[in-house]
Amino acid sequence: MHTSIVLTAATLLYTVFAAPSRLPAHHFRRCANETAINSTTPGTAPATPSCDLSGLSQPASTLQPPASDTQLVLIALGQGTQNYTCGANLTAAPSAIGAVAQLFDASCALSSDPTASTTALGTIEESAKSIGAHFFLDTTTPDFDIVGLGNTQAKKVEDCNAPSSTADVKWLRLEAQAQGSTSSVKQIYRLNTVGGLAPSSCEGKAAGDIVTVKYEAQYWIYA
């Protein structure tokens, strides 16, 4: 099972890297109420931005704030797909199996304009190289491989509905796991999501089929 998921992620990563994934314009909103590969090359330039992030605050949400002993070191724009698999009951919604995305440095763009929407940051893809990748090692272990920061395996510890909960995937708080990580990253927040929700059913597909849904998100990374 683990091997098949990794192979699926590798295939989806190739698809994401091969084709741009720009989405239609979407309004910038706040969070609604609610309660594998390490490709980091030694000697490469760090991903940490040269701009000042000390004055930036997360968009308001019910997620627990970052730990007091951490600081914001990077905001990455993620562009890729949320991935699902169909079960035997094709009238039911497919089950989540993770995500794959390219990561771009959005730190300075948001430092200059903290109100910039996630889709507005899409121009980064046209002017900058990817700084890394986000994928899943299994259905519950997100991984972030970022040039200059290293590899971070994480675990979801909290979520809340996106403001447009019928269109956009949830906002998340992730905690870095010591095992498997080579970075100093401690927490990652997925915020200002756009798209990515599973369809309501698998009608027209077969059991075992993979369903991919485009999404974008901001990943606020603390170390």
Side-chain angles (χ1 to χ4, degrees):
M1 180 65 174
H2 177 87
T3 301
S4 64
I5 291 172
V6 171
L7 289 174
T8 299
T11 301
L12 291 168
L13 266 174
Y14 173 81
T15 302
V16 171
F17 273 59
S21 54
R22 295 292 304 279
L23 298 180
H26 185 88
H27 293 295
F28 183 71
R29 306 219 187 146
R30 300 287 192 243
C31 191
N33 60 347
E34 187 200 3
T35 64
I37 305 154
N38 188 345
S39 62
T40 305
T41 304
T44 56
T48 48
S50 58
C51 52
D52 183 12
L53 299 179
S54 61
L56 279 180
S57 298
Q58 287 186 9
S61 78
T62 60
L63 297 174
Q64 181 176 311
S68 59
D69 62 345
T70 65
Q71 65 176 1
L72 181 63
V73 296
L74 179 71
I75 303 174
L77 168 66
Q79 295 182 321
T81 61
Q82 292 289 316
N83 306 312
Y84 305 89
T85 185
C86 294
N89 180 5
L90 299 181
T91 63
S95 301
I97 56 170
V100 292
Q102 283 180 282
L103 300 176
F104 300 88
D105 189 351
S107 302
C108 293
L110 284 170
S111 178
S112 300
D113 181 7
T115 65
S117 70
T118 298
T119 49
L121 297 174
T123 55
I124 292 174
E125 184 180 359
E126 300 164 1
S127 60
K129 294 181 179 180
S130 171
I131 60 168
H134 166 46
F135 52 95
F136 273 64
L137 297 177
D138 53 45
T139 57
T140 60
T141 309
D143 192 288
F144 296 81
D145 194 19
I146 300 175
V147 172
L149 286 181
N151 192 80
T152 305
Q153 290 185 21
K155 177 178 70 174
K156 186 184 81 171
V157 292
E158 189 181 7
D159 64 40
C160 74
N161 277 341
S164 182
S165 59
T166 60
D168 306 326
V169 289
K170 291 183 175 185
W171 294 14
L172 306 176
R173 176 169 65 91
L174 308 172
E175 296 285 349
Q177 303 300 294
Q179 184 173 357
S181 295
T182 62
S183 74
S184 61
V185 171
K186 296 180 180 178
Q187 294 179 301
I188 299 175
Y189 288 75
R190 185 179 77 185
L191 306 170
N192 292 333
T193 54
V194 179
L197 283 181
S200 59
S201 77
C202 279
E203 292 185 12
K205 298 189 177 296
D209 280 358
I210 301 297
V211 178
T212 61
V213 184
K214 288 183 179 181
Y215 89 107
E216 294 183 301
Q218 296 174 17
Y219 291 97
W220 291 51
I221 300 173
Y222 295 81

